[in-house]
Amino acid sequence: MKSDIVLAGVGGQGILSIAATIGMAAVEKDLHLKQAEVHGMSQRGGDVQSHLRVSSNPIASDLIPKGKADLILSVEPMESLRYLPFLSKNGWLVTNTTPFVNISNYPEMEEVITKIKEQPRHIAIDADKIAGEIGSKRSSNIVMLGAASPFIDIDFAALEQGIRTIFDRKGEKVVDLNLKALQAGRKATEEVMAKMN
């Protein structure tokens, strides 16, 4: 198995929590894992990206070559477009549709969504709305992880265990909210996929 994932968003949106959850799930399954340095963390609202590589075989490099990513998982729609050159021809773009407007010349959302929809394999969901519906707006990043989970070559149960491990120190309520967020994101993608077929 192999999953090469580009995580994208802006500072403060929880990219590290996504990476840590996938990492814990990979360790649980005795998989190899490499993660490139996360950029942009020094500035809240600055662009952030991370390369995450998971495989059943040893991994030589932590960087994903352009055109080789199996998945772009983005918590911000404009940021999802920034990393399209990394996406393989059979890869999936999975993004939140709620913008984080952190620059004065942020493009029109209609234009951003049109570019996302031009991708042959994409899932675009309103993760902020879904997170609000389950009672935890801060969990929109985990909603996005759930939405991307069908395209990550790791058992969903291992991702759920990763959530438990990562959020355990914050208490049972936070663990439960994040598990609900993960499951809600997965369900959202399953509903989109059902409409495609």
Side-chain angles (χ1 to χ4, degrees):
M1 70 72 55
K2 173 188 80 75
S3 285
D4 284 344
I5 306 163
V6 174
L7 304 176
V10 298
Q13 286 193 302
I15 295 287
L16 282 178
S17 294
I18 294 172
T21 301
I22 296 171
M24 283 293 175
V27 168
E28 164 111 355
K29 291 295 186 181
D30 292 322
L31 298 170
H32 296 272
L33 172 76
K34 285 211 176 180
Q35 181 181 356
E37 181 181 339
V38 178
H39 302 281
M41 288 298 289
S42 59
Q43 177 187 347
R44 187 172 186 84
D47 67 283
V48 178
Q49 61 98 5
S50 178
H51 290 203
L52 191 61
R53 307 188 81 184
V54 182
S55 177
S56 51
N57 298 314
I59 303 164
S61 170
D62 54 1
L63 293 175
I64 300 168
K66 285 189 176 175
K68 297 294 184 182
D70 302 301
L71 172 66
I72 294 174
L73 193 177
S74 183
V75 294
E76 205 288 327
M78 186 185 74
E79 292 300 322
S80 75
L81 300 176
R82 186 189 302 263
Y83 300 102
L84 284 179
F86 286 94
L87 195 61
S88 75
K89 66 178 195 284
N90 295 316
W92 280 85
L93 170 65
V94 180
T95 185
N96 188 2
T97 58
T98 303
F100 186 104
V101 181
N102 55 347
I103 53 174
S104 58
N105 61 342
Y106 194 99
E108 291 294 324
M109 267 313 294
E110 190 175 307
E111 181 185 333
V112 173
I113 297 299
T114 297
K115 292 265 188 209
I116 289 166
K117 288 181 176 178
E118 286 173 2
Q119 300 309 305
R121 283 164 294 285
H122 73 274
I123 301 289
I125 64 167
D126 188 341
D128 288 49
K129 181 181 176 200
I130 293 168
E133 287 169 354
I134 62 166
S136 178
K137 288 191 174 185
R138 292 185 56 156
S139 298
S140 63
N141 61 327
I142 303 301
V143 170
M144 287 312 306
L145 174 56
S149 65
F151 314 110
I152 301 172
D153 204 1
I154 296 177
D155 291 343
F156 189 72
L159 292 172
E160 290 176 315
Q161 186 55 46
I163 293 284
R164 291 184 190 95
T165 304
I166 295 298
F167 293 101
D168 182 56
R169 63 185 169 78
K170 294 189 176 184
E172 193 175 327
K173 184 178 178 185
V174 173
V175 170
D176 288 345
L177 280 171
N178 280 285
L179 285 171
K180 283 182 185 171
L182 187 76
Q183 292 154 2
R186 175 85 174 206
K187 182 181 176 194
T189 288
E190 286 171 349
E191 288 171 358
V192 171
M193 299 286 283
K195 288 176 187 171
M196 289 178 180
N197 296 333

